[in-house]
Each structure stands twice: as structure tokens, then as C-alpha cells.
Amino acid sequence: MRVSVLRGVGEVAVEERPIPQPGRGEVLVRIGSVGVCGSDVHYYEHGRIGPHVVDSPLILGHEAGGEVEALGLGVTSLASGQRVAVEPGVPCGNCPQCLAGRYNLCPDMRFFATPPYDGAFCEFVVMPTAFVHAVPDTVSDDAAGLLEPLSVGIWACRRGQVSAGSRVLITGAGPIGLVGVQSALAFGATEVWVSDVNPHRLELARQLGAIALDVSKRPIAEWDVEPDVLLECSGNAQATREAILTVARAGRVVLIGMGSNELPLPLPYVQNRELVLTGAFRYANTWPTAIALVASGRVDLDALVTGHYGLDDAEKALTAARRDPTTVKVIVRPGLVPRLDR
Amino acid sequence: MRVSVLRGVGEVAVEERPIPQPGRGEVLVRIGSVGVCGSDVHYYEHGRIGPHVVDSPLILGHEAGGEVEALGLGVTSLASGQRVAVEPGVPCGNCPQCLAGRYNLCPDMRFFATPPYDGAFCEFVVMPTAFVHAVPDTVSDDAAGLLEPLSVGIWACRRGQVSAGSRVLITGAGPIGLVGVQSALAFGATEVWVSDVNPHRLELARQLGAIALDVSKRPIAEWDVEPDVLLECSGNAQATREAILTVARAGRVVLIGMGSNELPLPLPYVQNRELVLTGAFRYANTWPTAIALVASGRVDLDALVTGHYGLDDAEKALTAARRDPTTVKVIVRPGLVPRLDR
Amino acid sequence: MRVSVLRGVGEVAVEERPIPQPGRGEVLVRIGSVGVCGSDVHYYEHGRIGPHVVDSPLILGHEAGGEVEALGLGVTSLASGQRVAVEPGVPCGNCPQCLAGRYNLCPDMRFFATPPYDGAFCEFVVMPTAFVHAVPDTVSDDAAGLLEPLSVGIWACRRGQVSAGSRVLITGAGPIGLVGVQSALAFGATEVWVSDVNPHRLELARQLGAIALDVSKRPIAEWDVEPDVLLECSGNAQATREAILTVARAGRVVLIGMGSNELPLPLPYVQNRELVLTGAFRYANTWPTAIALVASGRVDLDALVTGHYGLDDAEKALTAARRDPTTVKVIVRPGLVPRLDR
Amino acid sequence: MRVSVLRGVGEVAVEERPIPQPGRGEVLVRIGSVGVCGSDVHYYEHGRIGPHVVDSPLILGHEAGGEVEALGLGVTSLASGQRVAVEPGVPCGNCPQCLAGRYNLCPDMRFFATPPYDGAFCEFVVMPTAFVHAVPDTVSDDAAGLLEPLSVGIWACRRGQVSAGSRVLITGAGPIGLVGVQSALAFGATEVWVSDVNPHRLELARQLGAIALDVSKRPIAEWDVEPDVLLECSGNAQATREAILTVARAGRVVLIGMGSNELPLPLPYVQNRELVLTGAFRYANTWPTAIALVASGRVDLDALVTGHYGLDDAEKALTAARRDPTTVKVIVRPGLVPRLDR
């Protein structure tokens, strides 16, 4: 099969690899769509994310939808041809975190496109059935792939206890901020503010139902917001600090955006208001919810897609956001390129 | 002022009473709309509900909206003319339940239209400001009154942990079942089934976004439903039992409907699936959420109103449901009658 | 190896079976002690428990401690000779319940001594490492086995939210009631009442720190108890009903005792006080806690042991409670019998 | 009555004031014992704590036990002569925080010894009955006063979800750290580590059941601890940061110690492990638990007392810790001085 490989910083190329074979309890999935994530771009540009270093060729991509191509032994829950979304991490299943249902915290997680594990910029992947989720036809291939970032939004809302009537501030209107908007509304939030400096993204946030705060014009402290929940998606330490200082008593702060090694936490404010701060690291048990939200029309993931690329154009996909500020989410479709005879 | 008084079983009459005076921290509210609740009808028909016996004249009505007419000493949070919704119970504020935020369980609660406390079928009531909630103009007087039953739905959803993607079964499509539908959808439920035998009510449930199950045609066990949450609004012990037997593992059962003294609980099913059952007794801290849901358009309470009556016609209001099966929620408007000179 | 087999109602015999071989990720455990549970006795006396029918020879016993005899491929977390406790159920690991950390609700659980799965009245068992827990030398073999019933107590306390200062009523002073006492105290309960009619058991409850209520002398309603939490361990429907009627507002009821198909639930009481009722079905993620409690001296499981038997005397072990009312927990020790040469 | 007044930085003097009169629902409490808190010392030494400035004479002291001297109108829950503990803050009772049971977050809280509200270094105080808690004779006057700092420990354990088998690290072995030790053990923690540099305090921590970590000898990172819960009682930003880096996945961090305006939060660690951080600001609904723990012997508050002083010696009490490093908790007893004729 054809795969797109990150060979080094700024170097992506298409190669041929053997099609993997599904083992017992696994299926082979033909990839239809793969979303490009900021982490893919970061590996492409820097060759590492924190302790995760790309020191041998790596297939990027972890937001994947497609269809079941073949079944491993003993698989009865899925059928060949079934349209599916891929949950891109396989935890060990045996450690205390896994047994407690927090499999996202499994120290032995094998996660797509995180060295040394390959991702989904390729024609086929093999996955255990527990992480391959059937989707109805009302969910497009692109949306099936984007259930992954939606899962980040859902997980953040769960950790932040967003519920009916919640007032939510989302800092950063990138793809994660925007699925945050959609998730928060789907969880019943009745006021969702989004701060950013990019007018294109703020406009999209507005279209999705949020109140846009252009913090290039006025700092967050000067907007009249007092959220119950802050979903921090900017990764900017100073912006995070300022946003925390708007949160209501007993409010929750979910720290999603990465990038800062140290956050200058305004301790007395956190203490006196008993804010609850936590991280959101990937997600656990979110696909059923994500599928229900998209299938019921409460969340529109296709609205986030701003471009499609074939495998041969993976590099263009990885540089789209850098080249065009109106980019939100681009998709790689391995099937767009001519496939070699197998 | 004019008040409508329940003098005995089946006997309602209009009387004159002095306008009450607001004390420190209280306001005088001019009643605009009062919804008629099943409990009002029950007192009218039977003169009692369980241990609560009407043994002296009682003003019915506890679903009230209106506007602030006058302020007691020290009130600064509300202004004269402010449109408001009345939360119809005043807890003691000092007992362990109150201090823990569960004021609905206060043993010394003074609740509208529950002997010996009068309700709101009258022109004016006095309430402490903590239980008088300002509403925006997007919330009608009728809706302001119906925030009370909506609060029952919201409270039930909180106790049942309804969240994004939840599948919810509601047994009984009366007014509480219908606000349950609207609440469950507002909390993010993606499948809401409602069972009843009244086709008018099932049709309204359908219009509100639910899947209607006509259990006069097929028992609940034969419909293919496996809810995460059951909101029991029928008060029928046998229907409750059957509905419980559909609930998914680790599901929640909220027992709202009254009427049975004993519920034949299918114990092994509850145990093996670790269902969580609980009652929902009134509500606590729901008005801000209820107002946000109505003001944001997520819940439409006016859609439930099927009739309006003046104070002189309170008896007609109390018998409307008995006379007409298409009745859902009727409203008494004290202002519809000519007011005496004061 | 020698195994004790239940061949039919009231018929237990020792047989020879091949020693099982541990597969990848599994270990072979040499059984030191196995506690006899009421369910073992029930299978022995009736050949079934509810839908679970013994229709072919079954090895009983699921409360097992011992030591690691041999390692399967890839096992590094345990070493040969390590003393261990066996968690006697292996869930599928892939279903929604397992992935959510509620593996006790896995519909495909393979549980010791539950048809068709064999238990631990034998010399060796094979288990995946995730369910074989190392114990320190301060935990005896008997106690290692009895971590299983202790887990039931721990799980019940978690589901009932027992915490520092809780007042807990436990109905039934059998082995589960008694581990309930020890668990409740370990969770910080400051008042633990235990009701029973057996004076021997009540005396043991008293020694373990509980206040004994002899309900043969006075019904529960006449004792002055108002628990925050009820741990129902009697399995008697009428006793359960009466005990529920003592629970404080917002209290929790954990239904552990089996035996009734239907519980006559006092609905208005549950509703008006917003009690929370739930089942406790086995346990999940309890062994680390159980080991810490015993190793720290907070729980004394050896105090519950009233007799030891070899494999050849398994039948005597199964009938001990019937023969002697002072019996609490008896232990089968496969090593007490002469082992055949292997 | 005689009162001890803080007139300015470092200046405390005894004055005469009229005995206050209890109003409706209030009682007059004769103060038996008042613990000296670090905040009292801080006001004495600096004249302010953050935004709270002592700009007129202030009575210090908020850890008070005593007995009911007189009853206001309508009081039936307490009797004259009843021994009591005083919960030293009176919330408004009407704001969203109060109604939600989080009265510690009430913005209109009137709290003892916090400007402009006087405290309990005096012979009598008046309080509403809801905040005057009867204690049994097994609770000494000193212990009745020290239920206040114990409440801080209890609240911290609740917010940190300490439960049976928890492993808890407490940074700082001052009075709050030490009640933290006792609370954590009472909540069922099986390993409690305490870090400090003061050998006297570490020894006391050891006597109370903790494992003492002398971080003057070895930094926290080099001790082999991986707590589920961190109770931060040092108020030292750097120590807090280092301690956070030991917390287990999904662990909780309760930030109790004050003193830093900014905490350098190690963001990736918090995110990747999904730690939950929160403040503990005073407490809510803790006295019943505190009384039960002391009365049952699970917590020994008298063990923390290292000195007693009369009102005239309040200054000595406030400087005791500065003068003597073995000081833990000193008590002011207004009754130790000759009382004037009333």
C-alpha cells in the first residue's frame, strides 16, 4: 500500500509498504479520510513534541475514518464494508489506569503518529475492534475522521462538567477551540464565548453559535464574561492566566492547549474561589457520544473542513495552515491518489 | 386583593384578602400567570395529598410569574417593575439539608399551596428575594410561571446525570413528562423516548423532539429501547417496574411520578446491572438554568399551554384536564379579572 | 493436580485433573487458601443460583490466595514464589463497561465457580497477571483469599459513599455484613450499627467495632438509628424494606444481599428524602485498597476465620455453617491434603 | 466584658466592651478556649493579609469553644449551659453559593477576626444557632476550639477525595499539616507522608501516624513517594511545584497553604497525568464530621496543644511560635483572667 512518511524535519514522501494483516480480534480498515492535526504539523516542522522525538521514519495522521476491509479471527462485531471511525490509541488494558476506565492515562498507550507508532496517512491500518467504531451513513468519511478532535472537545466538556445552562469561555478558536464550541453547545451550554485574534476563526466560531471576543482589540479582562467553565485551547501561558482570572466561583478550568512548560497560576484567586483546574489528555469512551452528536445533527464537523489533499500532497496539507490563515481543518484522502496494483 | 380559595373538596371561590406587605429582604410580586399543576387538581378533587390535608381554606397554585410591585427594606437586587419568576418554596436556611445545598429536603420548607401555606391563585404574593428570579423579556409571563415544572425536569436530569449523547426513556407524557423531554434534550440527550397511552400527548412529545411509544399498542418491553436514564413520570407502579427492566447497565432511574405507596422493585435486575435509583423531590438551584434554557430558545414552555383562565374561572382551570384529553397545561391569570380599586 | 468437584446437588468429590499451563501474560498460581462463600454453599445445596445452573461438574471456590508457581510468556510484573491474592473474574476488556472501568458489569465476565467456569477448590489456577495481586507477608494466605469478600465490602462502601463521620447501618451480620463493618470503619464511619438475630454473629460484629442490634428482640424501627448509608446484606425483602425506612435524607442504600426477586420499595419515603439506591455487583479495582487496608492493620480478616479444611473435606467446609451457628468463614486449604507426585 | 484588641501592628491590649445581646435565632456563647491561628499571628505582625487590612481595632481569634450563656428569641435547639464549638463565619444564606451549599464561597461572609469583623479573643460572642455546634463531654474546650483547624483538614480531604487506601502527601507539618495528617488517616488513608524541615514538627507528625520526610536532608523528588493526593500546607511556591511533580496519574492536589501570589505550575505534567488541582477555602458543613471524629477518638486535637494563655497574655500567645520552635498550637483562655463583676 501507499503511505506518506515523515523522513525528517520538513520532509515527507510517499512510499510503498506491505498491507498489514489483522490478527485475532482486529480488523483491517481502509482509510477514507484523515484530518491533519496541529501535532502532525508540529512533528513535520520540528521533528518532536516534548519528549516524543521522531528518530526514524514516521507515518503521521491520527484522525481517521474509513471502512472495514477485512476481519481478523473471531471478529463478529464488525462486517466487511462497514463504515467506521478509528479511535487512534490502543491502551494496554491491564494497568490500573486502564482497569479504572482512564485508559487515556495508560503509560503503555500505543498512539497513532506518536513515535514509534505509525499513524494513518496511508491506505490501510489494523486496529482491535474495541477502537473501531461503526458510523451511520449520516456521518461522512471526513466527519468520521474528525470524531477524533470532537472527542477532545467532548472529553474537555466532561472534565469541565459542562451542563445545561453552563457559561463557557473557550480561549483559542483553532480546530480544538471550535470543536470545543460545538461540544459545549451540545452539552447544553447557553453562553459560549470564544477568544482569539484571528478574525476568520472568530467568524467561524460565531457561525457555530459562539460569542466571539477579539482579544486583539480588548483584553479578556475587559469583556464582561464570568464563565463557569474555561476550556483553555490557546496554549499561551499569559492568555491562560488572564482567562483564569475571569472564572466564576467554584468554576472549572480545563487545560487543553499545549505549548507552555510552566503556567503562572494566580494562586490566591484559585484558592479563594475554589476553582478546579485539570488537564484533558486525549479522551476515553467518547466515540459513542461523538457519533450520537454528529448523527443527530447537533454537531456539524464537515463545517470545519477547509481543504482536501491526496497522499502525494500530504506536505501541502501539512503546510496549509501556515500558508493560508483561513485554514481550519484540512483532510488527507489516501484514496484520492491512483492506487498501485496490489 | 382577590384570591381564589379552595374551601373544601370540589369547592373553589373568589374572596377578598388584604394585600400582604413585604418585610426586610422580601418583595411583593404581582402575579401575572400561574400554571395549574396536577397537585392543585388533586387537592381540589381529594382535599389531600398523602399526609398533607387541606383542613382550612387554601389558596392553590405554585407555578407563578409576574412582576415586582414593591420592595421590602434592604432590597437592592430587584427593582419595582422587574419581571420575575417565583420559586415557590422557602426553606429554613439553617438545617443541615439547607446548609448542604439540598434545600429541597428541608423539613421546615414552606411551600406554596401545600397546607397550611397559601399559593399563588391571587393577585399578590410576598417572597424573599432569593426565591424571586428576574427574567428577560424573551420569557413570557406564562413561561415564567412554567419555569417551575421545567425545574422539575431539570432537577430530574441532574439527578439522572443526563448528558451529551444520553439515551433517555420518559414514562408518561403529561406536563412533567413533556418538560422532561425538553430538559433531556437541553442536557444533550440524543435519543429521548416517551411512553404514554394518550395520543394527543404522544403527538406533542413527538413535536418536541421525542420518539413516541404508544404503550397501549405494545408494552414497553417490546419496543427496542435500552435507555441510560429512565425519568419515571407516570406514577404507575407496574409501568415503572416494566420500564426499569429496560434500563442499561449502570443506568439511572429517577422516580418522579407520585401515586404508588409501594414499588415492586425487580431486585436482581437492579443489582446485577448496578442501576442507581433515586427520587426527585422538587428541585434546588434550578431557576438560573431554567431561565437560561428558555431565554436561549432551547426550551419552549409556551408550547405546552392549552388554555388561560381568570381567577373567577379557577375551577374551570382545575377541571380542564378532566374535561378535555387534549389539555396539557392551563394557566390562571389573576389579571384577567377586573381588579378592585385599592 | 487434585481438584474438588461439585458433581450434582449435594455431591462433592476429589478428582485428578491436569495442571493448567499459563499462556502469554498469565501466571500459574498454587492455591494456599480458599474461603467458602455463601454462593458455594448455595450451588452445593441447590445446584443453581438464579439463571446460573450447574449442569456439568464444577469446581467451587472463588476466594483464593496462594503463590506464583510459574510464569507465562512475557510476564515481568510477577515472579515465581511471589505470594498473591487472586481476583476471581476475568472480564472481556473490550466492551463499553470494561472500557469505562466498570468491568464488574462486563456481560462476558468469566468468573470463578460460576457455571461454566471452574473455581479454586484445587491446587492450581491460571490467571492473567492483571488479576493476580502481590501481597506482603503481613497478609496471611487466608487473608489473601478473604480479600475477595473484603472487596465486596469496599465496593459497597464506595457505592454508598461512606466517608469520615458517616453513620452506617448494616443489615445482616454474616461474612459480608462483617466485612462491611470492617470496611465502613476503614472508610471513616464513626457509627456502624449491625442488625441480625444470631447472637454469635452480633457478638463478633461488636468485637469488630459495631453497635449490635438484635432485631429478634426489637424491630429495627424501634432502635434509634438514622443512618446516612444502609448496606443491605440480609437478602430479606421485608428486613430491607424496614431498614430503608430508617435512612436519613439524601442517604444511600446499597443492596448487596441476594435472595429476593422483588423488593417492596416504600416509594414516597424514597422520593421525599431523595434516597439513592443501588446494587453492588461484585467489585472493580478493589484489591489494591483491600491489600492496603489489611497490610496497614485497619482490617483484620483472620478474625473472621472459624475453621480450616483440606480438599478432601470440602464437603465438610460447605456444610459447616449449617451444622454450627458459630461458623463465620471457613477456609479450604488444598495443601492440607497429601499432594500426588507430579 | 474583657476583650483583647489588636490596635495596630504588634500592639495588642485588653479593653472593656459591653456584652453583646443575642438576637432572634442567636445565642450568646461564653468563650472557653480559642486557638491561635497563623492568620492571627500574621495580622499581629503585618496588619493585613492580602486585601484584608486592619484599619481599626480588631479582636483576633476564630478557633473557639465554650458554652451557651444565653439564648435569643425562638432558640430551641440549644440550651443554656450546653458546651459548644463555634463555627466562625456567617454567610449571607441567600446568594447562589450559599444556596448551592458552598457557603464558604459566599462573597458576603462575615468571618471572625477578618476585618472589619471581630473574633473571639474575648469573653463572649453572639452567633446564629446554625453555626454553634453542641459537643459531647468527650470533647474538651480546647478541642472544641480546634475543630476549626480540623475542619480545614476535613475539607481538604473531601476536596482531595481522600478515601480508604489513599496515599497522601502533606507538605508542611504546621498545625494545618498536622490536622491534615489526622484527617487523612480518619478518611482511611493508609500511607500519609509529611514533609517539613522542622524536626519537632516532623516528630509530632510521626507520632500522629505519618511517615516523616525531612526535606532539609533530601528534596522531595528523591523520596520514593507517589501520592494519590497532595495536601499542600506549606504555602511555598517552589516546594509546591516540586511536590506536584510526585503526584500519581489522576491524582488530586489541594492547595491550602497561602503566601504565594503565583504558583509556577508544571503544565505538561498536570496535563499528561490529568491531575486535578483546587483550592480549599475554609470549609462548609464540616463540624458534624469533626465532632464525630474527635468524639469517637479517631482524631486527638489535644495532642496538638503546646501552651495556654490568659487574655492578658494574648501577645505572648501570638509570639509563641516565633519564640519557640517546638510550638504547635497555643490556646487563649479568656476565663484564665479574673473576670469583672457583671
Side-chain angles (χ1 to χ4, degrees), chain C residues 166-192:
Chain C
S166 291
R167 296 164 302 156
V168 179
L169 170 61
I170 298 175
T171 38
I176 293 299
L178 294 170
V179 293
V181 169
Q182 296 198 301
S183 298
L185 290 169
F187 275 72
T190 45
E191 279 186 285
V192 179

Side-chain angles (χ1 to χ4, degrees), chain B residues 212-271:
Chain B
L213 312 179
D214 188 337
V215 286
S216 71
K217 299 192 172 144
R218 214 162 18 134
I220 193 77
E222 293 181 19
W223 296 89
D224 182 26
V225 298
E226 192 182 20
D228 304 309
V229 185
L230 167 62
L231 305 182
E232 205 301 300
C233 303
S234 76
N236 179 297
Q238 193 52 34
T240 303
R241 186 180 188 287
E242 288 172 16
I244 288 172
L245 291 168
T246 68
V247 178
R249 286 176 169 79
R252 284 81 63 194
V253 174
V254 186
L255 300 160
I256 309 158
M258 291 181 292
S260 313
N261 273 319
E262 210 161 85
L263 174 65
L265 195 69
L267 189 59
Y269 188 90
V270 168
Q271 291 180 311

